[in-house]
């Protein structure tokens, strides 16, 4: 929580110091690395087998192909140790990246970047956590190589990653509009965008279809090929699925989810489907191109999306399968904090769990729990409100105390979210290493004779193997119970454990209740589900193979029985062999529950390494607070608040839009009428007041821009001039007319809304899509963009103009925006061999209704 760092004020800091250093891992592609000296390789003796120690090289586990890494990643690049030095010079800020301690690899001009150019890199991109991507174009950096590609940095842990992400974004340009009307606020509003994508499964993958009746079966040797997907946003790769086997029925199962927050204005979402075989190089199977402007904001769209493959001949494009996708596109106007004060007072007048209960039951809102919980975290009342709500639920419950917290209630859902919020590092320390080790070695355990169909000796060997791995899991779980860096995880459990010291006459067994309550939350709701589904908790890329999944299921059963403090709870007779292990581990389990539930008096024990890391974080926080005093309101609020990267106005904007959409849903009008005189009605009124303020600001900006259209041009900002907060971000530019491009046929899923389109198929005119110059994808030969010298060497350099975007918070879609013309435009992959379609015309649907058009 924020208060945990507020108690430490670095009084001896040099206030004039604006220099920061950090060690990180830098991704260097093969092309860029060819110009650098190869790193020294230190050979070590190979370890004999695996042990339960944490000294095993995790990077070796990550790089194994069994983790689902694609063959395309082999030899694509390497991670090298780097030193990042951030240096502030007046209104300018530079990030120097050194490799091999002394070689300057790149210099990034942070004051020329947009904040959306600095964001988390999805862990699926390299199967690494705590990575930040810097997406620079020519003129925004100096590089020693001639390769224009994003910069990816991996930090030591999540705390360092969050701290440096906030620091880097604080020097970049926020996406703020309308600084003329509200000079004290720094603008009218800012924008926030996010895309949630779930790649579920595919059918008929690789089977070409010229029409709905005829199908061409895969060729010999194609049925067992591996299939994976790459995800591109605005022609920039931002994620990838794991590689899965395609069976004889041409079906592929992924069930993988992706979240891409803090996005710039987006155009299209592309999924490139790859086919890989052992004896040949990977090939593009097809692609899915999805125009994001056609999606209603804030609504989950699910459907079958066709995989298209480019062909020569009259067909030009044929369908080669379908993917089941779930897509949610969020785009919100974020007003200054002052605009939400009335709404915030209303929310803070009650327990946030009471709000979630009523919003879920009366307005059918189930996706704003994180936004509402963030308000309690920022106010440092999360634990107290959970404790108060839990006390009421215990007193009002008529059920057994053994099943009290096992239901799927609002309390249990929030406890899960709280454990995930505070316990990501704790979870990885508890089971991450041993779980990845089991999956990497592809351990197959089966003790059920009906499933195994093997002899007695083989079953006994499997029982011994199960006990061994259960002991390995339990050893790591127990060893992580008191690690000082994870003590924040104990906060949600402390109130439940402390109930033991109160008079509780309403429960039959007051001594065992706290233990069973904590174990129910800690294991039943957190650790055991992570063992069963490691890919959902970020512990393993993709779902494990079926045999490994069965091993994890058996281990999860044993660990849950141990957490129940009952050695005789195994119902299956074939699980009786683990009874001795559970019995001998019960005392340790009791000690474990007490350890994770007891808050420590000093959350920061004397540890030189942790003290140094904490000192560096506090130095950055102190610097951010000093600099924020001189920023305008919107510029200051655009910097996320550490340590959890909170953005309270953004969360309030999300709540406002969700409540307004739900209150206008025709199917909920009977529920809305029944809300008269209730607190929910007051909440809805506050949300509509916020929307009214947003519409006023949007109208003012639209009128101003309409007048500016009559003027010849707007002034061009010199990058060597004043800082971004004073000049560059203060103008909303009218974009130039983009260069005409070829037209492409795009197929929408049958379940996607198409308000004004009578057909399920429609054509998109790419000339009306944005033409972003920021392309970081594969290229051929001389087509690869090269980085020019730094801005100081080119006085005629012009800063790229930002796209025009006007949108009310309750509207469903966004207008098509345009950007400056780019001399060249690359496609995301070699598979996009687009052919011109002279007869294609864009069909005008009703997707832009309700939008303020200029």
């Amino acid at each position: 929580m924020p208060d945990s760092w507020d108690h430490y004020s670095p009084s001896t800091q040099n206030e004039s110091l604006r220099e920061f250093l950090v060690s990180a891992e830098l991704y260097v592609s093969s092309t860029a690395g060819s110009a650098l000296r190869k790193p020294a390789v230190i050979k070590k003796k190979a370890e004999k087998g695996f042990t339960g120690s944490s000294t095993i090289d995790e990077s070796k586990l990550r790089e194994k192909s069994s983790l689902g890494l694609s063959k395309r990643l082999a030899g694509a690049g390497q991670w090298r140790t780097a030193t990042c030095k951030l240096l502030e010079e007046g209104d300018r800020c530079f990030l120097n990246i050194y490799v091999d301690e002394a070689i300057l690899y790149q210099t990034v001009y942070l004051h020329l970047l947009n904040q959306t150019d600095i964001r988390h890199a999805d862990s699926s991109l390299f199967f690494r956590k705590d990575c930040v991507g810097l997406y620079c174009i020519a003129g925004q950096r100096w590089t020693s190589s001639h390769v224009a590609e994003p910069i990816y940095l991996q930090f030591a842990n999540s705390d360092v990653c969050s701290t440096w992400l906030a620091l880097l974004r604080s020097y970049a340009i926020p996406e703020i509009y309308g600084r003329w009307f509200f000079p004290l606020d720094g603008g009218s509003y800012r924008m926030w965008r996010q895309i949630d994508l779930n790649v579920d499964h595919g059918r008929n993958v690789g089977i070409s279809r010229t029409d709905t009746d005829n199908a061409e079966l895969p060729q010999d040797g194609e049925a067992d090929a591996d299939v994976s997907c790459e995800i591109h946003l605005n022609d920039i790769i931002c994620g990838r699925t794991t590689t899965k086997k395609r069976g004889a029925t041409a079906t592929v199962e992924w069930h993988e989810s992706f979240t891409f927050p803090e996005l710039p204005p987006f155009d299209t979402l592309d999924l490139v489907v790859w086919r890989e075989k052992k004896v040949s190089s990977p090939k593009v199977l097809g692609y899915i191109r999805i125009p994001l402007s056609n999606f209603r904001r804030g609504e989950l769209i699910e459907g079958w999306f066709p995989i298209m493959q480019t062909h020569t001949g009259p067909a030009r494009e044929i369908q080669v399968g379908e993917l089941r996708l779930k897509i949610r596109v969020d785009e919100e106007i974020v007003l200054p904090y002052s605009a939400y004060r009335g709404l915030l007072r209303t929310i803070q007048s009650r327990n946030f769990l009471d709000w979630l209960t009523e919003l879920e039951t009366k307005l059918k809102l189930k996706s704003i729990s994180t936004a509402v919980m963030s308000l309690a975290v920022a106010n440092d009342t999360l634990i107290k409100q959970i404790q108060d709500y839990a006390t009421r639920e215990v007193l009002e419950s008529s059920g057994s105390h053994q099943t009290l917290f096992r239901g799927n209630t609002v309390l249990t859902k929030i406890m899960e979210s709280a454990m995930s919020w505070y316990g990501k590092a704790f979870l990885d320390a508890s089971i991450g290493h041993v779980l990845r080790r089991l999956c990497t070695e592809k351990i197959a355990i089966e003790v059920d004779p009906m499933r195994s169909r093997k002899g007695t000796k083989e079953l006994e060997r499997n029982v011994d193997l199960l006990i061994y791995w259960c002991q390995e899991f339990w050893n790591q779980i127990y060893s992580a119970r008191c690690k000082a860096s994870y003590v924040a995880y104990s906060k949600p459990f402390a109130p439940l454990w402390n109930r033991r010291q109160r008079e509780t006459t309403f429960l039959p067994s007051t001594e065992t209740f706290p233990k069973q309550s904590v174990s129910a939350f800690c294991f039943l709701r957190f650790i055991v589900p992570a063992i069963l589904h490691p890919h959902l908790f970020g512990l393993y890329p993709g779902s494990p193979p079926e045999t490994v999944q069965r091993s994890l299921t058996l281990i999860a059963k044993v660990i849950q029985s141990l957490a129940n403090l009952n050695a005789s709870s195994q119902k299956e007779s074939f699980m009786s062999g683990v009874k001795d292990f559970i019995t001998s581990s019960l005392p340790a389990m009791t000690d474990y529950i007490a350890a994770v539930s007891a808050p420590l008096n000093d959350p920061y024990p004397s540890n030189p390494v942790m003290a140094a890391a904490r000192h560096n974080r506090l130095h950055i926080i102190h610097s951010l607070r000093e600099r924020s005093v001189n920023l305008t309101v919107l510029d200051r609020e655009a910097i996320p608040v550490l340590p959890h990267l909170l953005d309270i106005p953004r969360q309030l904007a999300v709540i406002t839009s969700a409540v307004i959409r739900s209150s206008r849903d025709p199917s909920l009008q009977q529920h809305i009428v029944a809300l008269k005189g209730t607190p929910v009605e007051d909440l809805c009124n506050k949300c509509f007041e916020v929307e009214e303020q947003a519409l006023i600001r949007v109208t003012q900006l639209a009128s101003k821009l309409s007048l500016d259209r009559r003027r010849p041009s707007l002034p061009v900002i010199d990058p060597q001039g004043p800082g971004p907060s004073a000049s560059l971000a203060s103008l909303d530019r009218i974009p130039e007319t983009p260069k005409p491009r070829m037209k492409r046929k795009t197929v929408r899923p049958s379940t996607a809304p198409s308000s004004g389109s009578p057909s399920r198929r429609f054509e998109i005119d790419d000339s009306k899509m944005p033409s972003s110059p920021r392309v970081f994808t594969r290229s051929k030969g001389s087509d690869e963009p090269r980085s020019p010298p730094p801005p100081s060497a080119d006085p005629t350099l012009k800063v790229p103009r930002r796209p025009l975007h006007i949108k009310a918070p309750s509207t469903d879609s966004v207008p098509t925006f345009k950007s400056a013309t780019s001399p060249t435009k690359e496609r995301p992959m070699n598979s996009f061999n687009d052919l011109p379609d002279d007869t294609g015309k864009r069909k005008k649907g009703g997707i832009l209704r309700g939008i303020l058009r200029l």
Side-chain angles (χ1 to χ4, degrees):
M1 290 186 180
D3 68 313
S4 62
W5 288 0
D6 291 342
H7 298 315
Y8 297 86
S9 178
S11 57
T12 61
Q13 293 290 341
N14 183 0
E15 295 184 359
S16 62
L17 180 63
R18 287 293 184 266
E19 182 177 307
F20 306 93
L21 290 172
V22 69
S23 296
E25 292 288 315
L26 171 70
Y27 178 76
V28 181
S29 66
S30 298
T31 306
S34 60
L36 294 174
R37 182 178 60 197
K38 293 185 177 181
V41 179
I42 302 176
K43 296 184 179 180
K44 296 181 179 180
K45 294 183 179 180
E47 295 180 344
K48 296 182 179 180
F50 286 101
T51 64
S53 172
S54 60
T55 59
I56 297 178
D57 189 358
E58 289 283 341
S59 62
K60 293 181 179 180
L61 298 182
R62 284 195 296 262
E63 298 300 329
K64 285 183 175 291
S65 60
S66 59
L67 292 185
L69 291 175
S70 169
K71 291 170 60 178
R72 303 187 307 281
L73 295 180
Q78 59 181 334
W79 289 88
R80 300 183 64 167
T81 303
T83 300
C84 300
K85 180 179 180 180
L86 188 146
L87 182 63
E88 178 184 341
E89 295 182 0
D91 293 328
R92 300 183 300 173
C93 182
F94 306 96
L95 178 66
N96 296 326
I97 303 175
Y98 300 88
V99 295
D100 298 338
E101 299 182 356
I103 302 176
L104 180 59
Y105 176 66
Q106 291 199 36
T107 297
V108 181
Y109 312 117
L110 293 176
H111 57 283
L112 298 182
L113 296 183
N114 295 323
Q115 285 191 351
T116 52
D117 298 332
I118 306 171
R119 56 185 185 268
H120 275 294
D122 193 79
S123 59
S124 67
L125 199 56
F126 302 103
F127 298 106
R128 287 178 174 238
K129 298 180 181 179
D130 305 322
C131 292
V132 171
L134 282 72
Y135 302 88
C136 314
I137 63 173
Q140 294 177 337
R141 64 176 167 185
W142 173 88
T143 176
S144 60
S145 63
H146 299 286
V147 178
E149 59 186 17
I151 300 172
Y152 296 105
L153 297 171
Q154 183 188 26
F155 296 94
N157 52 58
S158 58
D159 285 339
V160 178
C161 182
S162 299
T163 303
W164 269 81
L165 181 63
L167 178 65
L168 295 173
R169 290 173 67 91
S170 69
Y171 289 98
I173 306 170
E175 189 180 347
I176 297 176
Y177 298 90
R179 292 184 181 269
W180 308 288
F181 306 106
F182 300 90
L184 296 180
D185 291 340
S188 296
Y189 57 85
R190 55 191 175 96
M191 296 300 301
W192 171 81
R193 304 172 187 85
Q194 176 173 295
I195 294 177
D196 295 288
L197 171 67
N198 179 272
V199 182
D200 196 12
H201 60 282
R203 65 184 181 187
N204 301 326
V205 177
I207 300 179
S208 61
R209 293 176 178 269
T210 55
D211 52 51
T212 56
D213 299 325
N214 300 323
E216 180 182 338
L217 297 177
Q219 302 175 0
D220 295 339
E222 298 277 337
D224 59 346
D226 295 334
V227 181
S228 62
C229 300
E230 284 183 352
I231 304 167
H232 298 253
L233 276 169
N234 290 353
D235 295 344
I236 301 175
I237 183 171
C238 57
R240 53 169 55 92
T241 67
T242 54
T243 302
K244 296 294 184 180
K245 284 285 186 182
R246 183 184 63 176
T249 57
T251 59
V252 186
E253 300 287 338
W254 279 290
H255 307 287
E256 299 178 21
S257 300
F258 306 87
T259 298
F260 305 109
E262 307 293 345
L263 294 174
F266 37 58
D267 176 6
T268 58
L269 173 68
D270 299 308
L271 276 79
V272 183
V273 184
W274 287 83
R275 179 185 61 210
E276 301 179 10
K277 297 178 64 178
K278 294 181 179 179
V279 297
S280 61
S281 59
K283 296 181 180 180
V284 172
L285 180 64
Y287 64 90
I288 300 174
R289 188 173 179 86
I290 306 170
L292 296 176
S293 59
N294 298 323
F295 284 81
R296 295 172 65 91
R297 278 18 181 184
E299 295 185 9
L300 183 65
I301 302 299
E302 181 178 7
W304 288 101
F305 289 74
I307 305 173
M308 307 304 295
Q309 188 178 84
T310 303
H311 274 243
T312 58
R316 293 192 178 182
E317 286 186 343
I318 62 172
Q319 181 176 332
V320 289
E322 295 175 301
L323 291 186
R324 185 74 173 180
L325 304 177
K326 298 177 183 177
I327 305 175
R328 176 188 171 103
V329 179
D330 288 298
E331 188 171 24
E332 302 294 347
I333 281 181
V334 182
L335 303 178
Y337 178 83
S338 58
Y340 300 101
R341 284 178 179 170
L343 174 62
L344 186 60
R345 281 196 298 267
T346 301
I347 295 176
Q348 292 179 345
S349 64
R350 305 176 65 198
N351 192 308
F352 80 96
L353 287 154
D354 292 324
W355 282 118
L356 289 178
T357 301
E358 294 193 1
L359 291 176
E360 182 175 335
T361 56
K362 298 178 180 179
L363 294 183
K364 308 303 179 183
L365 293 176
K366 299 182 180 180
S367 60
I368 63 171
S369 58
T370 300
V372 177
M373 190 175 70
S374 299
L375 305 181
V377 173
N379 200 31
D380 196 19
T381 59
L382 176 67
I383 303 304
K384 183 180 183 303
Q385 293 190 52
I386 290 178
Q387 181 179 4
D388 294 342
Y389 192 91
T391 301
R392 277 190 287 140
E393 185 158 314
V394 168
L395 293 172
E396 297 172 1
S397 175
S398 58
S400 171
H401 71 284
Q402 296 181 354
T403 60
L404 181 61
F405 298 108
R406 293 173 178 258
N408 194 24
T409 63
V410 172
L411 176 61
T412 56
K413 293 177 182 178
I414 290 299
M415 286 297 295
E416 290 177 5
S417 300
M419 288 187 291
S420 177
W421 192 296
Y422 291 108
K424 290 181 179 179
F426 179 86
L427 182 64
D428 189 79
S430 297
I431 62 174
H433 174 75
V434 65
L435 189 146
R436 286 187 288 271
R437 177 185 148 200
L438 181 142
C439 295
T440 302
E441 297 182 7
K442 298 183 179 180
I443 301 299
I445 305 174
E446 185 53 75
V447 295
D448 186 355
M450 299 299 294
R451 289 173 174 261
S452 177
R453 304 290 185 181
K454 295 183 179 179
T456 304
K457 291 185 178 180
E458 182 66 20
L459 290 176
E460 292 177 354
R461 191 189 70 83
N462 276 269
V463 171
D464 294 338
L465 189 61
L466 175 60
I467 294 175
Y468 168 78
W469 281 101
C470 289
Q471 188 68 58
E472 291 291 295
F473 270 82
W474 175 236
N475 288 343
Q476 186 173 351
I477 292 172
Y478 186 77
S479 65
R481 70 195 185 283
C482 292
K483 290 190 176 182
S485 57
Y486 313 124
V487 294
Y489 177 70
S490 65
K491 292 185 177 182
F493 302 129
L496 297 175
W497 180 262
N498 291 337
R499 292 196 57 80
R500 172 176 66 178
Q501 311 196 0
R502 303 181 182 181
E503 291 187 6
T504 52
T505 58
F506 53 87
L507 293 175
S509 177
T510 59
E511 182 64 27
T512 60
F513 169 69
K515 300 177 184 178
Q516 293 174 342
S517 299
V518 172
S519 65
F521 279 125
C522 184
F523 286 90
L524 183 65
R525 293 282 181 174
F526 195 49
I527 294 180
V528 170
I531 296 175
L532 286 172
H533 308 288
H535 61 290
L536 299 181
F537 292 80
L539 299 175
Y540 186 81
S543 56
E546 184 176 355
T547 55
V548 178
Q549 184 64 56
R550 175 59 179 172
S551 302
L552 294 175
T553 301
L554 294 174
I555 294 171
K557 285 185 177 182
V558 177
I559 297 299
Q560 184 60 57
S561 297
L562 177 60
N564 293 337
L565 304 176
N566 187 355
S568 59
S569 62
Q570 296 292 337
K571 299 179 181 180
E572 299 91 345
S573 58
F574 56 83
M575 296 291 290
S576 59
V578 300
K579 182 177 181 180
D580 294 340
F581 162 75
I582 298 176
T583 302
S584 62
S585 303
L586 286 178
M589 173 58 74
T590 303
D591 179 66
Y592 175 88
I593 294 175
V596 300
S597 304
L600 300 180
N601 296 327
D602 183 11
Y604 300 104
S606 56
N607 184 314
V609 177
M610 293 182 58
R614 186 172 69 254
H615 181 273
N616 293 334
R617 293 197 300 269
L618 294 174
H619 176 35
I620 293 176
I621 293 174
H622 181 68
S623 174
L624 290 175
R625 289 176 177 173
E626 279 187 334
R627 292 178 52 246
S628 64
V629 175
N630 300 322
L631 298 177
T632 63
V633 173
L634 283 178
D635 286 288
R636 181 171 60 251
E637 293 175 359
I639 303 175
V641 180
L642 292 169
H644 298 300
L645 297 176
L646 296 177
D647 187 345
I648 300 306
R650 185 197 71 189
Q651 304 292 0
L652 291 169
V654 171
I655 295 172
T656 299
S657 295
V659 171
I660 290 176
R661 279 193 298 265
S662 181
S663 62
R664 289 174 174 170
D665 189 347
S667 63
L668 298 177
Q669 291 309 306
Q670 293 183 351
H671 297 274
I672 301 299
V673 174
L675 296 178
K676 188 175 182 179
T678 64
V680 178
E681 183 189 26
D682 187 26
L683 179 68
C684 293
N685 292 335
K686 296 298 181 183
C687 291
F688 280 106
E689 291 177 4
V690 172
E691 187 197 32
E692 184 177 354
Q693 295 187 48
L695 290 175
I696 292 175
R697 292 171 180 257
V698 169
T699 303
Q700 290 176 332
L701 181 57
S703 301
K704 175 65 175 177
L705 292 177
S706 297
L707 294 176
D708 287 343
R709 276 190 168 185
R710 304 172 186 175
R711 301 177 182 176
S713 63
L714 290 174
V716 178
I717 302 300
D718 187 348
Q720 300 298 323
S725 62
S727 59
L728 182 60
S730 64
L731 295 177
D732 293 293
R733 298 180 178 276
I734 300 177
E736 301 173 1
T737 303
K739 180 180 179 180
R741 298 173 56 200
M742 294 183 298
K743 303 173 182 178
R744 172 199 302 277
K745 289 184 178 180
T746 306
V747 182
R748 297 180 63 189
S750 57
T751 55
S754 58
S755 308
S757 178
S759 174
R760 292 186 178 181
R761 287 178 173 265
F762 68 98
E763 299 173 1
I764 296 295
D765 187 349
D766 284 352
S767 64
K768 297 185 180 181
M769 292 294 181
S771 178
S772 172
R774 305 186 176 205
V775 180
F776 307 108
T777 52
R778 297 186 180 183
S779 58
K780 295 182 178 180
S782 60
D783 293 336
E784 189 172 47
R786 297 179 179 271
S787 300
S792 59
D794 186 4
T796 63
L797 178 66
K798 307 299 183 183
V799 177
R801 297 183 174 182
R802 290 189 290 162
L804 170 66
H805 184 89
I806 306 297
K807 179 176 181 293
S810 63
T811 52
D812 298 324
S813 58
V814 299
T816 302
F817 43 76
K818 304 175 182 179
S819 61
T821 304
S822 175
T824 59
K825 178 68 175 177
E826 297 178 339
R827 306 311 307 166
M829 300 303 301
N830 296 335
S831 63
F832 292 154
N833 300 321
D834 301 326
L835 297 175
D837 185 5
D838 297 330
T839 60
K841 300 292 182 181
R842 182 184 177 120
K843 296 183 180 180
K844 297 181 179 180
I847 61 174
L848 301 180
R849 64 185 186 280
I851 305 296
L852 296 173
R853 301 303 302 271
L854 301 180

